[in-house]
Amino acid sequence: MDKKFYLVREDVLPEAMRKVLLAKELLERKKVDSVAEAVQLVDVSRSVFYKYRDAVFPFQAVVKESIVTLFFHLEDRSGTLSQLLSVVAAAGCNVLTIHQTIPLQGRANVTLSISTNEMKEDIEELLAKLRRLEFVEKVEIVGSGAY
């Protein structure tokens, strides 16, 4: 069964769903130690919490859950991939896949799929940093989407 998603303003959500969101936030931010403590603080039953916990999410949580695929054309030098990955990691991205072609005529193509969930900066800032690396001849986004 395909699931449809809707963007709904908070003030029209049923109170139970708003309370579940508050309980989830308390748990995520480690303000409470258990679901029992969270539901007690927000005054909602455990059964309501479990009914809605996997069905209601803050908008920013959905937006953050994405994969970006980057394509690079690099000079073939020792340590280039390591340096490239260091920049990506410093930005808070998690590398999901790496594909590198065999270098031909001193050049190689690399495709990275990265999770931007914990990204500390804007994607354009990351691209600018990557373009400044002396061995990067080209970098572009070839795809993005939620997972």
Side-chain angles (χ1 to χ4, degrees), residues 4-22:
K4 291 184 180 180
F5 292 86
Y6 300 91
L7 186 60
V8 180
R9 223 178 44 234
E10 180 182 32
D11 63 322
V12 297
L13 280 177
E15 182 180 7
M17 286 184 176
R18 289 194 305 260
K19 288 182 176 185
V20 168
L21 286 166
L22 288 172

Side-chain angles (χ1 to χ4, degrees), residues 112-124:
L112 291 182
S113 292
I114 59 173
S115 167
T116 58
N117 291 358
E118 304 296 324
M119 195 166 177
K120 301 172 188 167
E121 58 196 48
D122 184 84
I123 190 70
E124 292 302 324

Side-chain angles (χ1 to χ4, degrees), residues 57-68:
F57 305 94
F59 178 70
Q60 60 271 25
V62 175
V63 170
K64 284 174 61 176
E65 304 262 336
S66 66
I67 297 172
V68 175

Side-chain angles (χ1 to χ4, degrees), residues 81 84-85 95-100 109-114:
L81 185 58
L84 183 96
L85 294 174
V95 175
L96 303 173
T97 64
I98 302 172
H99 175 76
Q100 181 175 353
N109 294 325
V110 174
T111 305
L112 291 182
S113 292
I114 59 173

Side-chain angles (χ1 to χ4, degrees), residues 17 30 48 68 73 94 128:
M17 286 184 176
K30 305 213 184 299
V48 166
V68 175
H73 192 67
N94 182 34

